[in-house]
């Protein structure tokens, strides 16, 4: 027996209840199609995709109680480090056909998988490019409401700021998944998170919330901010 209810805080995000467990889910924009082997559920003539917080840092941040997910129906998003499209596909479900995701990915090998996901999801636009050079994709990307950054690079906070200056509307929101071990393996993650947050604040981003993502992603933190 399956029951599906809306998430108490965030729009277009759901909680699936079956006999043994509760799990996050999104309503499938492409019914019958899985992206990464996730469980599908039918409920009242709709299909929902289980959203695994061990595979998606955005889902992990929800499980950890982040105060806001600035992604809703119709949102335009610049997604830096879209990889094979696991999290991007759930964002695609949330924003629906009226929204748009500009998916920046650097690896040609991974881009092939991202293109396959994007073929069936018309709100996903895959772009093979280096997120450190935002000017290189300005002919493809519009002004956006949100930047989601998951690039796992030593200069990831600066990459986010550079892209915000190009593409993010005033008062637009950012979410960045900071991977401490990608920046400096010799320092404590807490020290690295403070340093990256200081870089963001100096770059005009007001930090609204920070959540450590353990145990879903070790030595990671999700930072939510507003571009001022």
């Amino acid at each position: 027996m399956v029951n599906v209810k809306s998430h108490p805080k965030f729009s277009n995000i759901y909680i699936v209840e079956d006999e043994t467990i509760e799990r996050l889910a999104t309503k499938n924009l492409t019914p019958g199609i899985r992206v990464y082997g996730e469980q599908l559920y039918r409920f009242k003539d709709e299909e929902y995709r289980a959203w695994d917080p061990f595979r998606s840092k955005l889902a992990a941040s929800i499980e950890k109680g982040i105060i806001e997910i600035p992604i809703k129906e119709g949102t335009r998003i610049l997604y830096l480090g879209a990889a094979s499209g696991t999290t991007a596909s759930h964002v695609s479900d949330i924003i629906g056909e009226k929204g748009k995701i500009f998916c920046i990915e650097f690896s040609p090998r991974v881009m092939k998988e991202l293109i396959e996901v994007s073929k069936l999801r018309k709100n996903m636009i895959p772009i093979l490019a280096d997120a450190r050079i935002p000017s290189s994709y300005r002919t493809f990307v519009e002004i956006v409401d949100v930047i989601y950054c998951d690039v796992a690079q030593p200069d990831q906070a600066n990459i986010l700021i550079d892209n915000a200056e190009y593409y993010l509307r005033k008062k637009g929101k950012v979410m960045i998944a900071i991977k401490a071990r990608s920046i400096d393996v010799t320092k404590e993650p807490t020290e690295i998170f403070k340093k990256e947050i200081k870089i963001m604040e100096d770059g005009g981003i007001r930090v609204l919330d920070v959540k450590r993502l353990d145990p879903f992603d070790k030595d990671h933190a999700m930072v939510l901010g507003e571009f001022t």
Side-chain angles (χ1 to χ4, degrees):
M1 183 68 178
V2 173
N3 183 52
V4 178
K5 60 184 181 182
S6 295
H7 192 279
K9 291 174 61 179
F10 306 127
S11 65
N12 288 354
I13 297 173
Y14 301 88
I15 297 172
V16 173
E17 303 170 320
D18 64 19
E19 295 177 352
T20 58
I21 195 169
E22 288 189 354
R23 61 188 72 193
L24 291 174
T26 55
K27 191 180 293 183
N28 196 353
L29 196 62
T30 58
I33 305 297
R34 292 179 172 86
V35 174
Y36 57 103
E38 69 276 24
Q39 183 73 42
L40 302 179
Y41 297 93
R42 295 292 301 181
F43 182 74
K44 292 185 177 178
D45 297 327
E46 300 282 1
E47 186 175 273
Y48 298 83
R49 304 167 55 221
W51 193 3
D52 186 349
F54 287 95
R55 301 283 300 274
S56 168
K57 300 178 188 71
L58 182 57
S61 73
I62 294 171
E63 294 284 14
K64 296 292 296 213
I66 200 159
I67 62 169
E68 179 186 0
I69 297 295
I71 300 169
K72 304 175 177 64
E73 184 176 7
T75 300
R76 294 164 298 164
I77 301 167
L78 176 59
Y79 193 129
L80 306 175
S84 58
T86 297
T87 296
S89 68
H90 286 287
V91 173
S92 165
D93 288 342
I94 295 168
I95 65 173
E97 295 177 349
K98 296 179 181 177
K100 195 176 290 185
I101 316 172
F102 302 96
C103 300
I104 308 299
E105 176 50 48
F106 182 68
S107 166
R109 181 186 61 80
V110 175
M111 175 57 93
K112 292 179 182 177
E113 300 175 35
L114 180 61
I115 289 173
E116 289 303 312
V117 174
S118 303
K119 282 180 179 176
L120 298 174
R121 295 174 171 270
K122 302 305 180 186
N123 58 8
M124 291 178 62
I125 301 168
I127 301 169
L128 181 63
D130 186 343
R132 292 171 294 188
I133 311 173
S135 61
S136 66
Y137 39 86
R138 63 184 172 190
T139 56
F140 306 106
V141 178
E142 306 166 358
I143 298 298
V144 298
D145 306 301
V146 175
I147 295 179
Y148 184 87
C149 181
D150 186 10
V151 294
Q153 292 291 324
D155 53 347
Q156 53 193 265
N158 284 312
I159 291 172
L160 172 64
I161 292 165
D162 290 346
N163 278 272
E165 290 175 348
Y166 259 89
Y167 300 112
L168 188 59
R169 67 170 173 80
K170 196 170 180 60
K171 300 292 184 183
K173 298 291 177 61
V174 302
M175 297 188 78
I176 178 171
I178 298 174
K179 183 179 181 181
R181 297 306 180 195
S182 293
I183 296 172
D184 191 336
V185 296
T186 67
K187 294 182 179 177
E188 285 297 314
T190 301
E191 182 181 349
I192 292 171
F193 297 147
K194 288 180 179 177
K195 180 184 174 187
E196 295 300 296
I197 287 170
K198 179 68 166 54
I199 291 172
M200 292 169 62
E201 291 173 336
D202 290 345
I205 292 173
R206 183 166 68 93
V207 173
L208 303 174
D209 196 14
V210 182
K211 287 286 180 286
R212 291 284 298 258
L213 300 184
D214 307 86
F216 303 109
D217 280 286
K218 188 178 179 182
D219 298 331
H220 282 71
M222 182 68 78
V223 180
L224 169 71
E226 181 179 77
F227 189 51
T228 59

